[in-house]
Amino acid sequence: MRTIFYSLLIGMLFTGCRHQPITNPKDYTAYLHEQPNIRLQNINTELDFWKSKLTHAPGDIIAESKIAGLLTKRFGYSGDIHEIHQADSLYRVVNYLNHINSSGTFRSLATNCITQHRFLQAQTYIDSALALGDDKFQTVLMEFDVAMELGNRYRARKALNSLVDKTSFEYLIREAKYKDHVEGNLDAAITLMEKAYDKIKDYPAPALLLWTKTNLGDFYGHANRYKESYQCYLDVLAKDPHYYHALKGIAWMAFSHDKDVINARKIITYLQQRHPVPDYELLLSQMAAWEQDSITYKQHMDNFISTTHNALYGGMYNKYLFHIEADELNNALQCLQLAQQEVAHRPTPEAFSWLAWAYCKNGDVQQAMKTARLYVANKCFEPDALFYLGKIYQAGGQKKTAREYLQAAQRSAYELGPVVSKQITESLKAL
């Protein structure tokens, strides 16, 4: 899922047409029972080996680099943010000793910065790697990744154009991201991701295959191709029952499409036990909002806010904190401060959509419309940004434009979820 947008609408029920359910507990219940996580066990075994090496040879930069990489891998299963920071510390030591010989550690540091949403720092590391000049292909790939996160579409396009093989897996997945996020061409993005999957579907390396198939499932979901999306997630879980993103995708489908809150909650509760990250509290809060359970809603929302205020998370959850301040708590000043902070560190069209909405929430509709026109319209195609644009133009009295954006957001009702879908419906009725 690209974004989960929360807006509490206690007392309202979604009145849209009921769909035939896509998810079936018989398909995935087996994955909700504890079973050995072989990949995690292998990571732990390798960690023990390299930690033993480091104990006997303090300062061994190969051991330190291996441990850092394994901690980063383990984070995907554990959700323990401390492991990313431990990996950072080790990479910095390695980089200090080896920064003139290899760009690899710069790239590893940049990868961890991306995970933590420290994108400007990631750019600094990638610039250093480019200056060093070795393994330029790998560095250019990451140059694209960081440029996209920073909203620098021109640098991202230049990095892509510099790649010689336009049929390679690495090129295809990035061209797909560019088509989706910059051009808003989801159909083309799916075609490219399907080609990328065909490239590696017979590879023995499972991690790449699982990542690609899950992302393809996400894309299908964005395109409202629910059955194909669901099948992708099931195929991934058949290969790795602990691939939590696929389970999360099924939970979202059960909730957003099927309105099956009971089974969606079962999946999320299981995920919380195995992979304790703050995201799940937000999902549970939205389910509680849908059920009009204001007490449970508040409990989950408070849990999320208190957890993400941990300094170790940095700006990783700013998007969701902004939505909470703007649309749940109606804290106009706080959401403006968050939006300004995000634009300063990550000037993407999406971040500017927050800023425009924050201006609107503060009563400065003209500034909101100006920001929307200059930095968001025809530049950002995220469903929540389209919804914000519709609300901003509605506030500005431009009903035709407001209706166009709200209808565009409505076509992404699955991504936004039933609670926000209801708000879109109400906004369209008011025009």
Side-chain angles (χ1 to χ4, degrees):
M1 272 164 286
R2 281 179 286 182
T3 182
I4 302 170
F5 177 19
Y6 298 86
S7 179
L8 181 60
L9 297 168
I10 298 301
M12 292 183 177
L13 286 175
F14 184 63
T15 57
C17 297
R18 297 289 294 176
H19 301 284
Q20 283 294 109
I22 299 296
T23 62
N24 186 337
K26 292 180 181 179
D27 297 331
Y28 59 78
T29 297
Y31 305 123
L32 303 183
H33 299 294
E34 189 168 344
Q35 48 191 303
N37 188 337
I38 304 302
R39 289 191 173 84
L40 181 58
Q41 290 175 2
N42 291 339
I43 290 171
N44 288 335
T45 299
E46 283 192 72
L47 265 173
D48 290 340
F49 172 79
W50 287 108
K51 284 179 178 178
S52 176
K53 282 269 191 184
L54 191 60
T55 300
H56 291 94
D60 183 340
I61 63 173
I62 294 177
E64 289 174 330
S65 183
K66 290 286 187 180
I67 292 169
L70 288 164
L71 285 170
T72 301
K73 275 187 182 180
R74 193 164 73 176
F75 171 72
Y77 290 106
S78 71
D80 184 353
I81 192 62
H82 291 88
E83 293 180 340
I84 291 294
H85 286 269
Q86 291 169 16
D88 263 353
S89 297
L90 287 167
Y91 277 136
R92 287 193 188 99
V93 171
V94 172
N95 197 53
Y96 176 77
L97 297 172
N98 200 40
H99 67 280
I100 62 172
N101 298 317
S102 171
S103 61
T105 309
F106 281 122
R107 288 194 299 273
S108 296
L109 283 163
T111 298
N112 275 6
C113 282
I114 291 173
T115 299
Q116 299 169 71
H117 287 212
R118 292 163 46 213
F119 301 114
L120 290 174
Q121 183 63 55
Q123 185 66 76
T124 300
Y125 287 133
I126 289 303
D127 287 342
S128 296
L130 285 168
L132 207 54
D134 64 312
D135 289 333
K136 190 170 182 182
F137 175 71
Q138 295 297 329
T139 305
V140 169
L141 294 178
M142 287 208 67
E143 180 186 17
F144 169 86
D145 297 340
V146 175
M148 286 292 289
E149 296 292 354
L150 287 171
N152 190 341
R153 63 178 66 188
Y154 304 108
R155 183 166 183 175
R157 184 75 260 172
K158 183 179 178 181
L160 264 187
N161 289 344
S162 73
L163 299 175
V164 175
D165 186 357
K166 302 297 192 290
T167 65
S168 71
F169 171 83
E170 292 83 2
Y171 177 88
L172 290 170
I173 61 172
R174 287 168 175 82
E175 183 67 41
K177 184 172 184 177
Y178 191 92
K179 289 289 184 186
D180 184 28
H181 288 273
V182 176
E183 298 180 6
N185 190 341
L186 180 56
D187 289 339
I190 288 173
T191 298
L192 288 161
M193 188 61 79
E194 288 171 337
K195 288 180 180 178
Y197 175 72
D198 285 340
K199 287 275 182 182
I200 53 93
K201 64 183 179 182
D202 297 321
Y203 276 24
L208 197 60
L209 177 68
L210 297 174
W211 179 90
T212 308
K213 189 89 173 187
T214 306
N215 275 270
L216 189 53
D218 292 345
F219 272 13
Y220 286 145
H222 300 160
N224 300 328
R225 294 164 62 175
Y226 309 116
K227 290 182 180 179
E228 292 164 281
S229 175
Y230 182 52
Q231 191 58 54
C232 281
Y233 296 143
L234 291 176
D235 290 346
V236 168
L237 290 169
K239 293 182 179 296
D240 183 358
H242 302 93
Y243 207 88
Y244 300 127
H245 186 84
L247 265 178
K248 183 181 176 185
I250 290 175
W252 181 254
M253 190 173 291
F255 171 54
S256 185
H257 182 275
D258 298 346
K259 311 301 183 292
D260 183 358
V261 177
I262 292 174
N263 283 304
R265 187 180 285 118
K266 283 181 182 177
I267 298 172
I268 295 302
T269 301
Y270 169 80
L271 286 171
Q272 281 188 305
Q273 297 166 357
R274 306 292 296 176
H275 183 231
V277 295
D279 311 55
Y280 303 131
E281 292 290 346
L282 277 180
L283 281 165
L284 290 170
S285 74
Q286 194 170 22
M287 292 175 198
W290 171 248
E291 293 184 316
Q292 306 177 73
D293 184 347
S294 59
I295 295 174
T296 303
Y297 164 83
K298 188 175 186 305
Q299 288 173 345
H300 289 305
M301 190 59 69
D302 288 347
N303 287 343
F304 172 79
I305 293 171
S306 62
T307 302
T308 54
H309 279 174
N310 183 337
L312 291 177
Y313 286 111
M316 288 173 67
Y317 290 94
N318 278 356
K319 174 188 291 187
Y320 308 114
L321 290 170
F322 171 82
H323 292 323
I324 291 167
E325 295 291 349
D327 305 302
E328 308 290 347
L329 304 178
N330 286 313
N331 191 333
L333 181 60
Q334 184 63 24
C335 76
L336 179 60
Q337 291 173 346
L338 268 172
Q340 290 171 332
Q341 188 180 86
E342 190 73 10
V343 165
H345 291 93
R346 191 186 189 188
T348 63
E350 185 179 12
F352 275 107
S353 77
W354 307 356
L355 184 60
W357 182 235
Y359 284 136
C360 193
K361 296 291 285 188
N362 278 271
D364 194 347
V365 178
Q366 292 306 310
Q367 185 63 35
M369 292 177 65
K370 180 180 178 182
T371 302
R373 283 196 302 269
L374 289 175
Y375 302 107
V376 187
N378 300 315
K379 295 182 177 68
C380 185
F381 305 95
E382 293 292 326
D384 56 333
L386 297 174
F387 173 65
Y388 282 157
L389 286 171
K391 294 293 289 182
I392 289 166
Y393 282 107
Q394 184 178 26
Q398 296 191 18
K399 293 185 177 182
K400 181 182 177 183
T401 305
R403 185 176 290 106
E404 289 172 356
Y405 280 116
L406 288 171
Q407 287 173 341
Q410 193 174 48
R411 289 191 287 273
S412 296
Y414 170 73
E415 282 187 76
L416 292 170
V419 177
V420 179
S421 296
K422 174 61 180 177
Q423 193 171 14
I424 294 171
T425 301
E426 293 300 314
S427 295
L428 283 167
K429 285 180 181 178
L431 287 172

